[in-house]
Amino acid sequence: MQAPAPTDTTSPLPAIEARRVTKIFGEGDDAFQALDAVSLSIRENEFFTLLGPSGCGKTTLLRLIAGFEQPSAGHILLEGKNISNLPPYKRPVNTVFQSYALFPHLTVAQNIAFGLQRLGKPKAEVADTVERMLRLVKMEHLKDRRTSNISGGQQQRVALARALAPRPRVLLLDEPLSALDLKLRKEMQIELKRLQGETGITFIFVTHDQEEALTMSDRIAVMSEGKVLQVGGPREIYDRPADRFVASFIGDTNFLPAQVISTAGPRARLAVCGVEISAALPEGVEGPALTMALRPEQLRLEAAGAAGALQGVLKDTVYFGTDTHFHITLTDGTPLIARVQNARTAEHAFRVGEPIGARPQADALQALHD
Amino acid sequence: MADRTFEVRRLPGMAAIAITCFVILYAPIVTLVVYSFNAGSSVALWEGLSLRWYAVAWDNVAVQEAAIRSLVVAASAAAIATVLATLAALGTTRTGPFPGRMTIYTLINQPLMVPEIVTAVALLIFFAMIKVATGYTGLAYLIAAHAAFCVPFAYLPIRARLEGMDLSLERAAADLYATPFATFRHITLPLMAPGIVAGAMLAFVISLDDVVITEFVKSAGQDTLPTYMLGQLRRAISPEVNAISTALLALTVLLLTAFFFLNRKRN
């Protein structure tokens, strides 16, 4: 059996590359295409997140990288080497399972040692590494416990330590936080980031939780129906969503219809609900009719009639503690939500049922691919 | 606090019915055990406490031979049935659903469904043909017959154990560099062990107890304990039969208790 060499952080090759990977389950009329020619390049040492709703293919892609499934077409490359047909036990890739899948007949320490022993590491090295891993996940005091006798959060840590112990080139995490309560989840998010930093291992993290993806990731791939819709850093994904799905899946978004009045290079003048606004047009997006995305927090409320502001009627306000949502219906009937941070002065001047103006910040409007 | 959920325990007369059932169930056994210590030679007339009949049974060469034969047959049959049942359970639970799986379940569990007397007659005729052809008349026929009807008894607890086992454990082992054999050796086998032990014990007890098939299959002079006792009853009933029965009962209870504690310690 081949042993995974220590992670080489200077490697110019991507840690994992998917080349037009297609996965079809079943055949004939029952066939289901889980992945549709997905191509992705995940860098060495990156915290990379596959984000999407359930059934989007993110877990299938993870299982293909782990080796539990074989692609119907296309290839998976690990540091440039095609591993598509290697069985899981020959891939220097480890998984943290959603259910943790800890071995119930072994102790915490024995669970962590399992991978090292299968790799045929000498006893002393196994013991050393297990000690180090126990320290890393702060579980030294429970090392002789059966895994069925520890809490969910502790099981999570053991699952992490067990997968990290053999020092895989890539660690796969399949919604590992979904079984934890909110507080523990927040703690583990920070913990995971710390572990990734300390170990320098490439993490591929699968989640359907957009907030989790935004807080933890270096880069995110947003997936839907077996396709990768957009790959980018959290800011890029949030501020510059490529299409309607990405915009609506990540954060709250207003969708506004717009007409192109004139274009000048990459920019265009648009008519949005009777107001002329300048916006950048991404490549491939063409008029005359467009859909624009606008984040609720990128609006400033003004008195009705203010020049350059979208005009409408305030329908409702919803108080959220840190901020308030203003539900507005624009003059052309489009609904619009504006989120305004609550100032220390508790009251605002806007009354429900009265006209109101909402001014988008410069370049806040984002043209979408449809 | 008014408890409005339906509880069988609260039904009027429930306690009386339960007690009656237990009495009917255990009174004969208790009587059998008590009379095995009878000093007199009647199975119905108490004449004082004694271990006389245990000594008689112990010194009876026919009983000794039958007991040893019973243990040999039961141990061999249980061992063979357990290995086969383990393979069958792995084959029917560790793969995806495949066409004909229900048919295979039915085939494996055939001895539970076909009347024992039918199997007995079938085996008698079938083995007679083999005996004529080969001239061999040893204990192997009995062991083979017992192993065959013990398979489903061993299979059911093993399959139940495997079905309750998370498939992701084996996936996790494979992910942690365990070859298929290492996964079986270090994960699947230890986790299914309680099921295997339960299956083996059940098979052993079922074989030890069998009369119908044994009576038809055995060659001359191949009495097991149950068939020997049946033969004895045709002649004279003495508390010796009670003593043998009680010893068998004690052995069974001991085995099951040991298994229960073993299993509880594991969990």
Side-chain angles (χ1 to χ4, degrees), chain A residues 1 68 89 94-95 102 105 118, chain B residues 169 171 174-175 177-178 180 186:
Chain A
M1 198 184 311
F68 303 134
Y89 55 90
N94 290 153
T95 308
L102 297 177
H105 59 302
R118 298 290 84 73
Chain B
L169 294 177
R171 216 174 283 138
D175 188 62
Y177 315 105
H186 294 284

Side-chain angles (χ1 to χ4, degrees), chain A residues 1 63 68 88-89 91-95 97 99 101-105 114-115 118-119 146 162 166, chain B residues 166 168-180 182-183 186-188 190-191 265-267:
Chain A
M1 198 184 311
R63 291 163 60 93
F68 303 134
Y89 55 90
R91 300 185 185 203
V93 172
N94 290 153
T95 308
F97 292 85
S99 63
L102 297 177
F103 305 130
H105 59 302
F114 190 87
R118 298 290 84 73
L119 286 170
R146 283 286 168 90
R162 184 180 72 174
Chain B
D166 191 355
S168 69
L169 294 177
E170 280 147 336
R171 216 174 283 138
D175 188 62
L176 291 162
Y177 315 105
T179 58
T183 301
H186 294 284
I187 304 300
T188 317
L191 284 172
K265 228 175 107 185
R266 276 186 168 273
N267 300 327

Side-chain angles (χ1 to χ4, degrees), chain B residues 8-242:
Chain B
V8 156
R9 276 194 304 161
R10 301 256 170 89
L11 285 182
M14 194 62 205
I17 292 171
I19 289 168
T20 312
C21 286
F22 279 120
V23 168
I24 292 171
L25 206 56
Y26 285 100
I29 296 177
V30 171
T31 315
L32 170 114
V33 172
V34 168
Y35 276 90
S36 73
F37 297 105
N38 195 359
S41 39
S42 165
V43 290
L45 217 74
W46 184 253
E47 291 174 34
L49 198 66
S50 145
L51 286 175
R52 172 183 162 197
W53 295 107
Y54 286 90
V56 169
W58 185 257
D59 291 332
N60 187 335
V61 178
V63 171
Q64 285 171 10
E65 280 177 357
I68 288 166
R69 197 171 293 115
S70 268
L71 292 176
V72 167
V73 169
S76 316
I80 295 168
T82 306
V83 170
L84 295 177
T86 303
L87 294 176
L90 284 168
T92 48
T93 59
R94 262 24 213 172
T95 58
F98 54 88
R101 191 154 67 149
M102 273 333 275
T103 316
I104 289 178
Y105 283 161
T106 316
L107 289 178
I108 292 170
N109 290 328
Q110 172 266 358
L112 293 181
M113 286 169 266
V114 175
E116 205 182 341
I117 190 75
V118 175
T119 311
V121 173
L123 286 175
L124 172 74
I125 298 165
F126 186 68
F127 284 155
M129 286 157 65
I130 299 179
K131 279 176 194 171
V132 169
T134 62
Y136 172 74
T137 54
L139 213 53
Y141 296 107
L142 215 47
I143 292 172
H146 278 225
F149 73 72
C150 282
V151 165
F153 294 98
Y155 172 74
L156 291 176
I158 299 172
R159 190 184 118 193
R161 181 80 193 176
L162 280 173
E163 274 177 346
M165 212 170 110
D166 191 355
L167 267 174
S168 69
L169 294 177
E170 280 147 336
R171 216 174 283 138
D175 188 62
L176 291 162
Y177 315 105
T179 58
F181 178 74
T183 301
F184 180 72
R185 156 91 182 67
H186 294 284
I187 304 300
T188 317
L189 195 60
L191 284 172
M192 72 192 292
I196 293 176
V197 175
M201 281 185 166
L202 206 54
F204 184 83
V205 169
I206 295 285
S207 162
L208 203 61
D209 173 61
D210 181 73
V211 175
V212 179
I213 287 178
T214 313
E215 192 67 42
F216 277 72
V217 170
K218 73 180 167 73
S219 306
Q222 283 188 351
D223 265 321
T224 61
L225 219 40
T227 60
Y228 169 80
M229 286 158 72
L230 192 67
Q232 283 306 102
L233 292 184
R234 293 202 188 106
R235 290 191 279 271
I237 310 174
S238 82
E240 186 185 355
V241 177
N242 292 35

Side-chain angles (χ1 to χ4, degrees), chain A residues 25 141 290 303 308 346:
Chain A
F25 289 107
H141 58 298
L290 294 177

